[in-house]
């Protein structure tokens, strides 16, 4: 018999597995940050710097004492994480490298890449020779040819940058450091700790890993979503789910109120349903692991969220870099925030409360506390609120923040 769940149950399981229900007890410093990355499976790397980048923000949401330099130290000093591709560039636990090594090399190259490599082997050999001789290097260490014309994205990259990307995709070089956010590359054998990329996993181990990285970090998923490559980039075998069900690792479920009643649940997460959910406030990154799958997020939470930084200003509804605000298991608001670093001010350009949200009295103290913590995380000691929707709530938020 399938386990009977509600969408509220699904949200409860997700928050427990994602470390957003207060249930994770984490050590301070690098050990705690590494535990977050290990439990989530990855944190997406973000180039936007409106507030602290997403890869820092995601960890901070689970480990409030976290500060940005920590993750780079884990990469360059501890070698406990590495950079590579999930659905986007990400920091991944070094423990997982042997699984992702299966996706490196030829599987990581598209036909256009292969053609470019064939035509530019001399450039690739030159770049690799310099790294071998001189040590870790970034793109800035290589000059563009005199006839090079800058352009947009891939088409405008100088040959050495393309070569570095090709070598990186193939797993021949790794990002060994970040300097002013520039990738610094080194040889695989100099970066990867001995034995970290082997032995090659069996298909059964791949199946177990993929299930842990999909169901294990969400608690419950629709049947089709379990098979998506978003979570690990590795496909499940046909035997994976039947075997996991037989061993009790996974159970079939039906979710009332959802259009697709066929779901799977990670059985180790089920005890969370017996623990009342704390009504905590979290200001999340747009790239947070909980919400990065937008269609699934809308399906489970009924929250239609899109980033508007790529939307023309006149068409934006919520703001350039609007951050989702989670209260318990509901998304109650969006905060368009900017850290003005020279003045040490967190500017809240627009605090938009969802139309169906009416519990301001119960939420305001916790929201103000989270905003103050978020300001501190961004090295800001002041907060300003420009606009709020509803407009009448702005003064109440300003007062609660202690700004008057």
């Amino acid at each position: 018999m399938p386990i009977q769940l509600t969408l509220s149950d699904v949200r409860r399981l997700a928050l427990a597995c994602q470390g957003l229900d207060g249930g994770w007890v984490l050590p301070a410093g690098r050990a705690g940050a590494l535990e977050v990355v290990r439990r989530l499976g990855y944190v997406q790397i973000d180039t936007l710097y409106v507030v602290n980048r997403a890869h820092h923000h995601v960890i901070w949401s689970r480990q409030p004492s976290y500060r940005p330099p920590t993750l780079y130290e884990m990469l360059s000093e501890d070698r406990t994480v590495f950079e590579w591709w999930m659905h986007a560039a990400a920091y991944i636990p070094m423990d997982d490298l042997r699984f992702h090594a299966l996706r490196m090399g030829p599987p990581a190259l598209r036909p256009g890449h292969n053609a470019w490599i064939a035509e530019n082997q001399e450039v690739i050999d030159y770049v690799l020779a310099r790294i071998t001789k001189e040590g870790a290097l970034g793109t800035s260490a290589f000059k563009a040819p005199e006839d090079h014309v800058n352009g947009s994205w891939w088409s405008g990259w100088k040959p050495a940058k393309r070569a570095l990307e090709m070598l990186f995709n193939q797993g021949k070089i790794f990002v060994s450091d970040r300097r002013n956010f520039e990738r610094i590359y080194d040889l695989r054998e100099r970066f990867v700790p001995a034995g970290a990329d082997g032995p090659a996993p069996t298909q059964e181990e791949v199946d177990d890993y993929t299930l842990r990285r999909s169901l294990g970090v969400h608690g419950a998923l629709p049947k089709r979503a379990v098979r998506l490559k978003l979570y690990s980039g590795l496909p499940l075998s046909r035997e994976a789910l039947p075997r996991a069900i037989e061993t009790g690792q996974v159970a079939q479920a039906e979710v009332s109120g959802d259009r697709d009643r066929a779901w799977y649940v990670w059985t180790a997460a089920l005890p969370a349903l017996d623990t009342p959910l704390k009504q905590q406030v979290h200001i999340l990154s747009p790239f947070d692991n909980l919400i990065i799958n937008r269609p699934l997020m809308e399906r489970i939470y009924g929250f239609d969220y899109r980033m508007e930084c790529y939307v023309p200003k006149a068409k934006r509804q919520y703001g350039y870099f609007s951050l989702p605000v989670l209260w318990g298991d509901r998304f109650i608001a969006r905060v368009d925030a900017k850290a003005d670093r020279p003045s040490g001010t967190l500017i809240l350009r627009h605090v938009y409360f969802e139309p169906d949200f009416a519990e301001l009295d119960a939420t305001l103290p916790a929201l103000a506390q989270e905003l103050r913590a978020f300001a501190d995380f961004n090295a800001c000691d002041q907060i300003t609120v420009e606009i709020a929707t509803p407009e009448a709530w702005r003064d109440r938020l300003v007062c609660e923040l202690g700004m008057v």
Side-chain angles (χ1 to χ4, degrees), residues 114-187:
N114 289 318
W116 190 88
I117 290 172
E119 295 174 3
N120 295 272
Q121 191 60 53
E122 287 187 7
V123 177
I124 292 173
D125 292 343
Y126 168 73
V127 167
L128 196 57
R130 279 197 58 189
I131 293 175
T132 301
K133 181 179 179 180
E134 300 175 35
L137 298 173
T139 305
S140 61
F142 298 90
K143 293 182 178 180
E146 292 184 1
D147 59 350
H148 176 71
V149 178
N150 287 325
S152 60
W153 199 230
W154 170 261
S155 63
W157 286 357
K158 58 187 176 184
K161 180 172 175 59
R162 288 196 185 190
L164 287 167
E165 289 291 322
M166 293 298 97
L167 290 165
F168 173 70
N169 286 345
Q170 294 177 84
K172 293 182 179 180
I173 59 174
F174 276 70
V175 177
S176 64
D177 199 0
R178 286 272 188 169
R179 297 174 191 164
N180 296 322
F181 204 59
E182 179 189 5
R183 281 173 165 175
I184 306 300
Y185 299 92
D186 205 350
L187 300 179

Side-chain angles (χ1 to χ4, degrees), residues 134-358:
E134 300 175 35
L137 298 173
T139 305
S140 61
F142 298 90
K143 293 182 178 180
E146 292 184 1
D147 59 350
H148 176 71
V149 178
N150 287 325
S152 60
W153 199 230
W154 170 261
S155 63
W157 286 357
K158 58 187 176 184
K161 180 172 175 59
R162 288 196 185 190
L164 287 167
E165 289 291 322
M166 293 298 97
L167 290 165
F168 173 70
N169 286 345
Q170 294 177 84
K172 293 182 179 180
I173 59 174
F174 276 70
V175 177
S176 64
D177 199 0
R178 286 272 188 169
R179 297 174 191 164
N180 296 322
F181 204 59
E182 179 189 5
R183 281 173 165 175
I184 306 300
Y185 299 92
D186 205 350
L187 300 179
R188 180 189 189 118
E189 55 267 31
R190 291 203 294 239
F191 173 76
V192 175
D197 53 354
T202 64
Q203 183 59 55
E204 187 170 337
E205 289 176 317
V206 169
D207 288 341
D208 178 69
Y209 171 75
T210 302
L211 286 174
R212 284 189 291 111
R213 289 296 180 237
S214 56
L215 273 174
V217 297
H218 285 84
L221 287 172
K223 181 177 181 179
R224 180 177 177 275
V226 175
R227 297 182 179 275
L228 289 178
K229 293 184 179 182
L230 173 67
Y231 305 107
S232 74
L234 297 167
L236 285 171
S237 72
R238 291 183 178 181
E239 296 78 21
L241 281 166
R243 182 170 54 241
I245 291 171
E246 184 178 353
T247 62
Q249 187 180 40
V250 173
Q252 293 176 299
E254 291 183 349
V255 178
S256 60
D258 184 72
R259 63 176 183 266
D260 182 0
R261 292 178 63 86
W263 285 56
Y264 291 104
V265 61
W266 191 252
T267 55
L270 288 171
L273 297 179
D274 299 324
T275 304
L277 178 64
K278 299 176 183 177
Q279 293 295 97
Q280 297 177 311
V281 172
H282 291 288
I283 299 170
L284 297 181
S285 164
F287 305 103
D288 194 278
N289 298 51
L290 179 73
I291 62 174
I292 193 60
N293 187 334
R294 305 285 196 244
L296 186 63
M297 174 197 184
E298 185 173 358
R299 182 173 177 176
I300 295 174
Y301 295 92
F303 185 62
D304 181 12
Y305 175 73
R306 300 292 184 273
M307 286 184 64
E308 295 185 328
C309 56
Y310 303 114
V311 174
K313 185 175 182 179
K315 295 184 178 181
R316 292 176 196 149
Q317 183 177 359
Y318 306 110
Y320 178 84
F321 203 67
S322 185
L323 309 175
V325 179
L326 180 72
W327 181 50
D329 67 349
R330 294 174 55 197
F331 285 95
I332 62 167
R334 309 162 199 243
V335 177
D336 182 26
K338 173 181 172 58
D340 184 63
R341 296 169 181 90
S343 67
T345 303
L346 180 68
I347 303 171
L348 309 182
R349 291 169 162 168
H350 188 188
V351 181
Y352 176 93
F353 292 93
E354 297 300 304
D356 62 348
F357 174 70

